[in-house]
Amino acid sequence: MFLGPSLSHTEARNILDADYRPPVKRGDLVSIYGEKNVVVGIIDGIFFSDSAVGHREIIGLLERGITVVGGGSMGALRASELKDFGMIGVGRIFDMYSSGVIEGDDEVAIIFNPETLEPLSEALINIRYNLERAVDRGIITESQSKDIINELKAVYFPERSYEKALEIACEKLKRNEFIRLREYLLNCARDLKKADAELVITTIKNLIQQEK
């Protein structure tokens, strides 16, 4: 399972005891080609500091009969691109990529501490998700949400955060609207990448149990 920073390896092991590895990068999958009775989970991957995992590498696993499940981040993006080749995609982010609601790897891109795998910025998809929830609750309008996202999308991904989103919102919203949104994000924001990462692991756990 290629994981981190969407979910810590410790939290993941509470769901399934597995071989957890750092975010996948190009070349990491080739060593698995010869393994038997394995299921590969791809959640996090390297985008910019190294070459991203190639489509051919994943297809190589599928061609050898190895089940590959993706979701949460890089895994969601690759699963949306390779679902017709047999890669299994799960989670809301996978659905959003598959349906064309979001495009581009910068939606899930963040920077993280390479030693601890802890995130150091916030994924645009998480902020987008929580602004849409704020729209559903009548805190801001859909138009206001889109304005904030459009401006945040122009911010280089390592600099994206809820603080930056609120800085943008402060310029676009009335004072009472801004206060309500700030309180909502501070107290009720959900981590969509983490939820989808947990779903990938649960899906693989269920697949393994079905095969027993």
Side-chain angles (χ1 to χ4, degrees), residues 24-27 45-54 57 74 78:
V24 68
K25 62 182 185 301
R26 185 159 299 182
I46 301 296
F47 284 98
F48 301 104
S49 60
D50 211 329
S51 297
V53 62
E57 290 179 68
M74 167 68 84
R78 286 291 182 266

Side-chain angles (χ1 to χ4, degrees), residues 109-158:
I110 64 168
I111 55 171
F112 58 91
N113 184 320
E115 300 294 329
T116 65
L117 301 181
E118 293 178 357
L120 300 175
S121 65
E122 190 60 64
L124 182 61
I125 188 65
N126 273 349
I127 299 174
R128 179 191 295 278
Y129 173 63
N130 284 296
L131 288 179
E132 289 175 355
R133 293 180 70 227
V135 172
D136 293 341
R137 285 155 181 76
I139 297 170
I140 57 174
T141 67
E142 185 173 359
S143 175
Q144 289 170 330
S145 172
K146 288 181 178 177
D147 281 349
I148 296 169
I149 286 296
N150 286 340
E151 192 159 327
L152 193 59
K153 196 169 177 59
V155 175
Y156 189 40
F157 77 92

